[in-house]
Amino acid sequence: EVQLQQSGPELRRPGSSVKLSCKASGYSITDYLMHWVKHRPEHGLEWIGWIDPEDGETKYAQKFQSKATLTADTSSNTAYMQLSSLTSEDTATYFCASGPNWFAYWGQGTLVTVSS
Amino acid sequence: DIQMTQSPSLLSASVGDRVTINCKASQNINKYLNWYQQKLGEAPKLLIYNTNNLQTGIPSRFSGSGSGTDYTLTISSLQPEDFGTYFCFQHNSWPLTFGSGTKLEIK
């Protein structure tokens, strides 16, 4: 069974950073691009970017270019996203998504709360 | 960026009803359009890919159609478990973009 297991909720101060993880099981993360998506109920879903775990190539939406950094560790079959210079606007649930047909597989989401 | 406009934003329907949700792209997306269902506190679930292809395991009451800039998700006979928020998503060009969502409530 394919699963994407994401790390637990995070509480951070403004100006700090956070690193989220997404561990795949049931398939190799090198089989597909790994994407990250931001969800705020009042703003809907936003695509952040993707990483090709095979070679580390990345692509970001322009608005996340200096906010998010995507990496992957093929030895542990895990993808990561670091968010920097956190503000209240970064308070959201973040999903990793992958698989065939554009996002057949989703993680359960990680809630990041930015508050002083 | 391609803007995806969904309508309606809120839909209330009864079990057994035929339901349609619309998605309009700001430019031609060449049928590179997916539909997802999301329930509160859960990850989105892929329903339809590339306009009209049913994802494995999704009931056949779900179907999709469209071309160019206009796309539709249809639920032929609404079931109680179909409540949730539905999103369209274009993967024709970067950045990938989602619709604003349609919240489907069961009467």
Side-chain angles (χ1 to χ4, degrees), chain B:
Chain B
D1 298 4
I2 296 178
Q3 307 303 315
M4 305 297 291
T5 303
Q6 268 185 252
S7 60
S9 56
L10 178 64
L11 182 55
S12 184
S14 300
V15 172
D17 283 354
R18 182 180 181 87
V19 167
T20 59
I21 298 171
N22 301 297
C23 186
K24 187 174 185 67
S26 58
Q27 62 191 71
N28 182 8
I29 55 171
N30 298 302
K31 295 192 172 186
Y32 292 119
L33 188 285
N34 285 14
W35 291 97
Y36 302 86
Q37 176 198 59
Q38 186 178 27
K39 297 189 177 184
L40 196 62
E42 298 182 8
K45 178 194 295 184
L46 175 61
L47 303 174
I48 301 285
Y49 63 94
N50 294 346
T51 295
N52 55 10
N53 294 279
L54 194 66
Q55 176 65 7
T56 303
I58 301 303
S60 58
R61 64 180 179 273
F62 291 92
S63 65
S65 63
S67 63
T69 61
D70 295 295
Y71 298 85
T72 299
L73 173 70
T74 300
I75 308 173
S76 61
S77 179
L78 194 65
Q79 298 302 301
E81 62 268 28
D82 296 337
F83 73 93
T85 301
Y86 291 78
F87 294 95
C88 60
F89 166 75
Q90 69 82 20
H91 52 95
N92 179 73
S93 57
W94 312 108
L96 311 179
T97 48
F98 291 88
S100 52
T102 295
K103 186 175 182 180
L104 176 57
E105 298 178 337
I106 310 295
K107 281 183 186 174

Side-chain angles (χ1 to χ4, degrees), chain A residues 47 50 59 101-103 106-107, chain B residues 34 36 43-44 55 89 91 94:
Chain A
W47 174 75
W50 58 253
K59 188 175 186 69
N101 305 327
W102 295 86
F103 312 167
W106 289 76
Chain B
N34 285 14
Y36 302 86
Q55 176 65 7
F89 166 75
H91 52 95
W94 312 108

Side-chain angles (χ1 to χ4, degrees), chain A residues 2-107:
Chain A
V2 169
Q3 279 195 328
L4 293 176
Q5 183 64 41
Q6 294 188 237
S7 47
E10 302 276 5
L11 174 62
R12 289 288 186 272
R13 303 292 190 202
S16 66
S17 62
V18 66
K19 191 171 186 178
L20 313 182
S21 67
C22 171
K23 183 173 177 59
S25 59
Y27 82 107
S28 171
I29 61 169
T30 57
D31 288 345
Y32 306 102
L33 302 180
M34 182 67 76
H35 297 251
W36 291 82
V37 175
K38 178 180 182 180
H39 182 226
R40 292 179 289 174
E42 65 279 15
H43 291 92
L45 296 163
E46 292 181 274
W47 174 75
I48 295 170
W50 58 253
I51 182 168
D52 184 346
E54 183 85 49
D55 60 11
E57 181 183 359
T58 55
K59 188 175 186 69
Y60 299 91
Q62 187 170 5
K63 70 175 289 187
F64 293 102
Q65 193 80 36
S66 56
K67 171 64 64 177
T69 302
L70 305 183
T71 57
D73 177 5
T74 56
S75 66
S76 63
N77 220 31
T78 302
Y80 300 91
M81 178 174 68
Q82 179 160 321
L83 299 171
S84 61
S85 303
L86 293 169
T87 72
S88 59
E89 294 295 300
D90 299 315
T91 293
T93 297
Y94 293 87
F95 294 98
C96 56
S98 187
N101 305 327
W102 295 86
F103 312 167
Y105 313 147
W106 289 76

